[in-house]
Coordinates of all heavy atoms in Angstrom, one line a residue:
A1 N -32.0 -51.0 -58.1 CA -32.2 -51.5 -56.7 C -32.3 -53.0 -56.7 O -32.9 -53.6 -57.7 CB -33.4 -50.8 -56.1
D2 N -31.9 -53.6 -55.6 CA -32.0 -55.1 -55.5 C -33.4 -55.4 -54.9 O -34.1 -54.6 -54.4 CB -30.8 -55.7 -54.8 CG -30.7 -55.3 -53.3 OD1 -31.8 -55.0 -52.7 OD2 -29.6 -55.3 -52.8
K3 N -33.7 -56.7 -55.0 CA -35.0 -57.2 -54.5 C -35.2 -56.9 -53.0 O -36.3 -56.5 -52.6 CB -35.1 -58.7 -54.7 CG -35.4 -59.1 -56.1 CD -36.1 -60.4 -56.2 CE -36.5 -60.7 -57.6 NZ -37.8 -60.3 -58.0
D4 N -34.2 -56.9 -52.2 CA -34.3 -56.5 -50.8 C -34.8 -55.1 -50.6 O -35.6 -54.8 -49.8 CB -33.0 -56.8 -50.0 CG -32.8 -58.3 -49.8 OD1 -33.7 -59.1 -49.8 OD2 -31.6 -58.6 -49.5
Q5 N -34.1 -54.2 -51.4 CA -34.5 -52.8 -51.3 C -36.0 -52.6 -51.7 O -36.7 -51.8 -51.1 CB -33.6 -51.9 -52.2 CG -32.2 -51.8 -51.7 CD -31.3 -51.1 -52.7 OE1 -31.1 -51.6 -53.8 NE2 -30.8 -49.9 -52.4
I6 N -36.4 -53.3 -52.8 CA -37.8 -53.2 -53.2 C -38.7 -53.6 -52.2 O -39.7 -53.0 -51.9 CB -38.0 -54.0 -54.5 CG1 -37.1 -53.4 -55.7 CG2 -39.4 -54.0 -55.0 CD1 -37.4 -52.0 -56.1
Q7 N -38.4 -54.8 -51.6 CA -39.3 -55.3 -50.6 C -39.4 -54.5 -49.3 O -40.4 -54.4 -48.7 CB -39.0 -56.8 -50.2 CG -39.2 -57.7 -51.4 CD -40.6 -57.5 -52.1 OE1 -41.6 -57.5 -51.5 NE2 -40.6 -57.4 -53.4
K8 N -38.3 -53.8 -49.0 CA -38.3 -52.9 -47.8 C -39.2 -51.7 -48.1 O -40.0 -51.3 -47.2 CB -36.9 -52.4 -47.5 CG -36.0 -53.4 -46.8 CD -34.6 -52.9 -46.6 CE -33.8 -54.0 -46.0 NZ -32.4 -53.7 -46.0
M9 N -39.2 -51.2 -49.3 CA -40.1 -50.1 -49.7 C -41.5 -50.5 -49.7 O -42.4 -49.8 -49.3 CB -39.7 -49.5 -51.0 CG -38.4 -48.6 -51.0 SD -38.5 -47.3 -49.7 CE -39.8 -46.3 -50.3
V10 N -41.8 -51.7 -50.1 CA -43.1 -52.3 -50.1 C -43.6 -52.3 -48.7 O -44.8 -51.8 -48.4 CB -43.2 -53.7 -50.7 CG1 -44.5 -54.4 -50.4 CG2 -43.1 -53.6 -52.3
R11 N -42.8 -52.8 -47.7 CA -43.2 -52.8 -46.3 C -43.4 -51.4 -45.7 O -44.3 -51.2 -44.9 CB -42.2 -53.6 -45.5 CG -42.3 -55.1 -45.7 CD -41.5 -55.9 -44.7 NE -40.1 -55.7 -44.9 CZ -39.3 -56.3 -45.7 NH1 -39.8 -57.2 -46.5 NH2 -38.0 -56.1 -45.8
I12 N -42.6 -50.4 -46.2 CA -42.7 -49.1 -45.7 C -44.0 -48.4 -46.2 O -44.8 -47.8 -45.5 CB -41.5 -48.2 -46.1 CG1 -40.3 -48.7 -45.2 CG2 -41.8 -46.7 -45.9 CD1 -39.0 -48.1 -45.7
L13 N -44.3 -48.6 -47.5 CA -45.4 -47.9 -48.2 C -46.7 -48.6 -47.9 O -47.8 -48.0 -47.8 CB -45.2 -47.9 -49.7 CG -44.0 -47.0 -50.1 CD1 -43.7 -47.1 -51.6 CD2 -44.3 -45.5 -49.8
L14 N -46.7 -49.9 -47.7 CA -47.9 -50.7 -47.4 C -47.7 -51.7 -46.3 O -47.5 -52.9 -46.5 CB -48.3 -51.5 -48.7 CG -48.9 -50.7 -49.8 CD1 -49.2 -51.6 -51.0 CD2 -50.2 -49.9 -49.4
P15 N -47.6 -51.2 -45.0 CA -47.3 -52.1 -43.9 C -48.3 -53.2 -43.7 O -47.9 -54.3 -43.2 CB -47.3 -51.1 -42.7 CG -47.5 -49.8 -43.2 CD -47.8 -49.8 -44.6
A16 N -49.5 -53.1 -44.2 CA -50.5 -54.1 -44.1 C -50.2 -55.3 -45.1 O -50.7 -56.4 -44.8 CB -51.9 -53.6 -44.4
A17 N -49.4 -55.1 -46.1 CA -49.1 -56.1 -47.0 C -48.0 -57.0 -46.4 O -47.1 -56.6 -45.8 CB -48.5 -55.5 -48.3
D18 N -48.3 -58.3 -46.6 CA -47.3 -59.3 -46.0 C -47.1 -60.4 -47.1 O -47.7 -61.5 -47.0 CB -47.9 -59.9 -44.7 CG -46.9 -60.9 -44.1 OD1 -45.7 -60.8 -44.3 OD2 -47.4 -61.7 -43.3
P19 N -46.4 -60.1 -48.1 CA -46.2 -61.1 -49.2 C -45.6 -62.4 -48.7 O -44.6 -62.3 -48.0 CB -45.3 -60.3 -50.2 CG -44.7 -59.2 -49.5 CD -45.6 -58.9 -48.3
K20 N -46.2 -63.5 -49.2 CA -45.7 -64.8 -48.8 C -44.7 -65.4 -49.8 O -44.1 -66.4 -49.6 CB -46.9 -65.8 -48.7 CG -48.0 -65.3 -47.8 CD -47.6 -65.3 -46.4 CE -48.7 -65.0 -45.5 NZ -48.9 -63.6 -45.0
S21 N -44.5 -64.7 -50.9 CA -43.5 -65.1 -51.9 C -42.9 -63.9 -52.7 O -43.5 -62.9 -52.7 CB -44.2 -66.1 -52.9 OG -45.0 -65.3 -53.8
P22 N -41.8 -64.1 -53.3 CA -41.2 -63.0 -54.1 C -42.2 -62.6 -55.3 O -42.2 -61.4 -55.6 CB -39.9 -63.6 -54.7 CG -39.6 -64.8 -53.8 CD -40.9 -65.3 -53.3
D23 N -42.9 -63.5 -55.9 CA -43.8 -63.1 -57.0 C -44.9 -62.2 -56.4 O -45.3 -61.2 -57.1 CB -44.4 -64.4 -57.6 CG -43.3 -65.3 -58.1 OD1 -42.6 -65.0 -59.0 OD2 -43.1 -66.4 -57.4
E24 N -45.4 -62.5 -55.3 CA -46.5 -61.7 -54.7 C -45.9 -60.3 -54.3 O -46.5 -59.3 -54.6 CB -47.0 -62.4 -53.4 CG -48.2 -61.8 -52.8 CD -48.8 -62.6 -51.6 OE1 -48.4 -63.8 -51.5 OE2 -49.6 -62.0 -50.9

C-alpha cells in the first residue's frame, strides 16, 4: 500500500488523530 492508503486507514481507525507530518 502507498502512504496515502495508509494515512486514509489511520483517519478511519483513529478519527481523533490529526498527524501534522508524515513521520507522525
Side-chain angles (χ1 to χ4, degrees):
D2 63 30
K3 284 205 178 268
D4 286 339
Q5 290 172 296
I6 298 296
Q7 294 313 310
K8 284 178 186 171
M9 285 307 297
V10 165
R11 285 191 294 277
I12 289 168
L13 294 171
L14 289 176
D18 184 23
K20 307 290 188 264
S21 74
D23 304 291
E24 187 176 347

